[in-house]
Amino acid sequence: MKRFVGAVCLLACLAALQQAAAQSSSRNLVQVGSVAIEGGLQAIHADQDANRPWVYALDTSGQLLIIDMSDPADARPISQGVGRNAHTLTSFREGADYFLVLGGEQLVKVAVADPAAPMVLDSVAAGQVLADLFAYKHSSGATLIFAAGSENVSVYTEEVSSGPLLSMEIPDHPGPGVGFEDVFAGFDPESQQDRLYLAAAGGYYVYDITSVDHPVLQTTVHSAAVQRGRIMAPISDGRHALTLASYRTAPMRIFPLTQERVRTAVGAWTDNWQSELVDVVVRWPYAFVAALEHGLQVVNVFDPYAPYTDAWFRSTDMEDIALPPMARAAHGIADVDVRNHDGLIVAADLDYGLWMLELEAFMGWHGHSWGLPNMSDVQDWNHGPDGN
């Protein structure tokens, strides 16, 4: 372990020198820490427990790294090597036990109560290539793992090796292709419904999953400009959703969710017509957008009809990217997460590793503080949906 940590520290010093000249940001977004990882990171997930300052990350080979952020200015990996060829990850808690699920062609359940010694508990073949995982505390009290992949969305309990409870196919849609790209679940207090939000071939779909065994399609979003949805992230009131499409130059579109069929966005945003937007995390009124070589963008969506850029951070030197936009390989910020208890922003960089950032006057997030349901990708494992 000492040899591993020493090698990481040496890589961090070298990479930090190379990266320093490329960094730039708006004045209201400050870098508070970073960790250089050889080969970069593709996915990231912050532990939301205030007593657990860990970030779980997948490097570009699909291995799990666990990074200690007790002191963001001196953050460092404390374990590495679990898993292979994973593309996505999520976390959940059962009592005092903490778990990760890694997804690629398999689902792998990992115990991380001791983050310095993660332990693989079990695994199961996914039967498809997984693009996204989401752990959700259902209003029934059940812990559910949603796995979105090239064939369907499969629903697992916390015992993933038991296989899926059910699988959901893509509804009929006007565009080519199959498969799902993104999954998000949340609770709507007004209707008392658990809802599932999906990005897939044809666009975007919202289901009522209050009865998990009998999901009911509520809303379909089919836009002529979107043949394949990449991300669907609802605003906390459940009335609008931020969406990304699976092609470069596509803006972030904001669609209303108040009708059964939706075709027209009410708002749109992009920082640059060349951008490829690949992930978005909502902490209303902010949307945190991963935009590859165009970095991390913080967008104010208070008015869904008129979103605007509030802050930005870029880690990649654009002068080094000579190819035209459509021919570029992926560089820069590929994933983002936000800690609700203190507002720390963590970003996965395909070239560098991990960035830790703070947004001015953003000290944390809870929906009730804004007069909204407490719905984000963070779950209250003690109280359930929209808990205290």
Side-chain angles (χ1 to χ4, degrees):
M1 177 61 75
K2 290 182 179 179
R3 185 175 300 173
F4 160 67
V5 172
V8 169
C9 291
L10 176 60
L11 289 170
C13 293
L14 294 174
L17 290 173
Q18 295 173 346
Q19 201 75 20
Q23 296 169 46
S24 58
S25 68
S26 59
R27 292 183 179 180
N28 58 341
L29 192 59
V30 179
Q31 178 196 331
V32 294
S34 67
V35 180
I37 302 296
E38 184 177 13
L41 298 176
Q42 62 174 316
I44 200 165
H45 188 81
D47 198 314
Q48 294 287 338
D49 191 316
N51 298 314
R52 291 174 58 85
W54 324 121
V55 163
Y56 310 108
L58 295 176
D59 66 19
T60 49
S61 71
Q63 290 189 84
L64 173 68
L65 290 88
I66 301 180
I67 299 167
D68 183 352
M69 298 194 307
S70 302
D71 177 4
D74 189 32
R76 60 190 64 201
I78 55 175
S79 65
Q80 182 184 30
V82 170
R84 293 289 188 279
N85 302 317
H87 308 302
T88 180
L89 73 166
T90 191
S91 69
F92 67 94
R93 196 178 88 201
E94 293 291 332
D97 295 323
Y98 295 79
F99 304 97
L100 297 178
V101 180
L102 315 181
E105 294 185 358
Q106 290 186 319
L107 278 81
V108 180
K109 182 179 177 182
V110 183
V112 288
D114 179 0
M119 181 183 303
V120 174
L121 299 179
D122 53 41
S123 63
V124 63
Q128 58 182 332
V129 178
L130 297 177
D132 194 33
L133 294 171
F134 193 91
Y136 178 60
K137 187 71 170 181
H138 193 270
S139 62
S140 65
T143 295
L144 302 175
I145 312 295
F146 295 93
S150 55
E151 301 295 332
N152 55 51
V153 169
S154 296
V155 187
Y156 296 80
T157 68
E158 68 273 16
E159 299 299 332
V160 296
S161 60
S162 300
L165 292 173
L166 77 156
S167 296
M168 301 169 58
E169 307 294 333
I170 286 188
D172 292 337
H173 62 85
V178 297
F180 293 84
E181 297 287 344
D182 180 65
V183 56
F184 181 101
F187 183 74
D188 177 48
E190 183 176 345
S191 64
Q192 292 292 295
Q193 291 179 351
D194 298 271
R195 291 179 177 173
L196 190 66
Y197 302 83
L198 304 172
Y204 314 95
Y205 309 88
V206 182
Y207 284 84
D208 174 4
I209 57 163
T210 309
S211 175
V212 179
D213 295 335
H214 299 91
V216 178
L217 182 61
Q218 285 194 320
T219 301
T220 60
V221 180
H222 292 321
S223 169
V226 181
Q227 293 189 338
R228 187 174 189 87
R230 170 177 272 165
I231 299 289
M232 186 179 199
I235 291 177
S236 304
D237 63 4
R239 296 176 183 174
H240 296 86
L242 312 184
T243 66
L244 306 182
S246 290
Y247 64 94
R248 186 179 281 271
T249 76
M252 180 175 73
R253 297 175 174 89
I254 304 178
F255 288 98
L257 300 179
T258 54
Q259 302 174 4
E260 184 177 342
R261 295 184 180 276
V262 179
R263 296 186 61 85
T264 305
V266 297
W269 170 92
T270 188
D271 72 304
N272 187 296
W273 72 270
Q274 301 181 54
S275 288
E276 184 170 5
L277 311 179
V278 295
D279 188 37
V280 58
V281 169
V282 180
R283 301 291 189 271
W284 192 91
Y286 298 114
F288 300 85
V289 182
L292 293 183
E293 71 268 16
H294 288 265
L296 173 70
Q297 302 284 329
V298 183
V299 185
N300 190 304
V301 294
F302 182 90
D303 180 357
Y305 291 80
Y308 62 89
T309 302
D310 193 277
W312 56 272
F313 169 84
R314 182 176 292 159
S315 63
T316 300
D317 190 343
M318 294 297 295
E319 294 181 358
D320 292 338
I321 302 175
L323 292 173
M326 303 305 289
R328 291 176 188 168
H331 293 278
I333 305 299
D335 200 10
V336 60
D337 201 2
V338 177
R339 284 200 317 210
N340 277 10
H341 66 268
D342 63 358
L344 184 71
I345 305 158
V346 291
D349 191 313
L350 290 168
D351 303 301
Y352 177 74
L354 171 70
W355 300 102
M356 287 157 280
L357 308 161
E358 289 183 350
L359 177 65
E360 183 180 34
F362 182 71
M363 309 300 293
W365 191 88
H366 193 292
H368 295 172
S369 300
W370 295 93
L372 294 172
N374 189 39
M375 182 177 71
S376 70
D377 56 335
V378 179
Q379 306 298 302
D380 187 334
W381 300 107
N382 290 324
H383 302 97
D386 203 38
N388 297 324

